[in-house]
Structure formats: structure tokens, C-alpha cells
Amino acid sequence: MTLRHVVSWKLSGETREERDAQAAEAIAALSPLAATVPTLNAISVHRNELFDGDNWDVTLIADFDDEAGLAAYVVHPDHVAAGSVIKGYAVGRVATDFTL
């Protein structure tokens, strides 16, 4: 079983350029977590490319063996630190979790 965790954020930047810069910081903070969080099997973080302003700005896709792996990821110090970067810019968050 694989548990997939998908999160999208709306960013606070008033212009596309500001949101691009915020997204780049978030991606740089979140992407390396696969190397430091043992329960994280795969991660990808992407900036929205189309329909700017209508769509969510950044999406994270992460895979875990199970719910316990996701729970360990949530409290891992590296995730907490990386999460603080995106939380500093986020004005909205939506998430979904499902098994593959």
C-alpha cells in the first residue's frame, strides 16, 4: 500500500513575480525532505503554470507506506522547519490523502 498526501497552497504575493519568488523558496525548503525524513518515500513540489490567480499556486505530492509514516513526517523537525517557510506565505491550504 502507498498513502499519497497532496497539499496545495494559495500564496500571499500580490503579483505573479512575488508568488513565483515565494513558491521558489517553498520548493527549495520542501523538496529535500526525502533525504532527511525516513518515512517519506517520494516527494515532488510544483509551481502552478496555468491560470495564475484562479488555480492554487504550489502543490506538494508525497508518498508514504501508511498513515503512521505520514504522522511521523508531520512532526519531523525538518518538515516542521520547511513547513514554516510555506506557512509564512500561505493564505489558503487544501489537502487530500488517499491510497494507491
Side-chain angles (χ1 to χ4, degrees):
M1 173 180 94
T2 296
L3 177 68
R4 179 153 289 168
H5 176 64
V6 180
V7 183
S8 294
W9 295 272
K10 280 280 196 179
L11 301 177
S12 62
E14 293 185 20
T15 66
R16 173 71 190 218
E17 292 75 22
E18 289 174 344
R19 290 188 302 278
D20 283 347
Q22 293 171 341
E25 283 187 51
I27 291 166
L30 293 164
S31 294
L33 293 177
T36 62
V37 180
T39 62
L40 179 57
N41 296 333
I43 188 170
S44 61
V45 190
H46 306 276
R47 172 69 169 105
N48 176 59
E49 296 177 14
L50 301 176
F51 310 110
D52 185 55
D54 292 329
N55 289 346
W56 293 80
D57 296 300
V58 176
T59 296
L60 172 144
I61 303 165
D63 291 342
F64 303 89
D65 287 339
D66 51 29
E67 187 177 350
L70 173 59
Y73 163 82
V74 168
V75 298
H76 191 282
D78 292 346
H79 171 259
V80 172
S84 70
V85 173
I86 190 84
K87 285 180 183 177
Y89 298 128
V91 294
R93 177 187 180 276
V94 62
T96 190
D97 302 293
F98 54 91
T99 56
L100 299 176

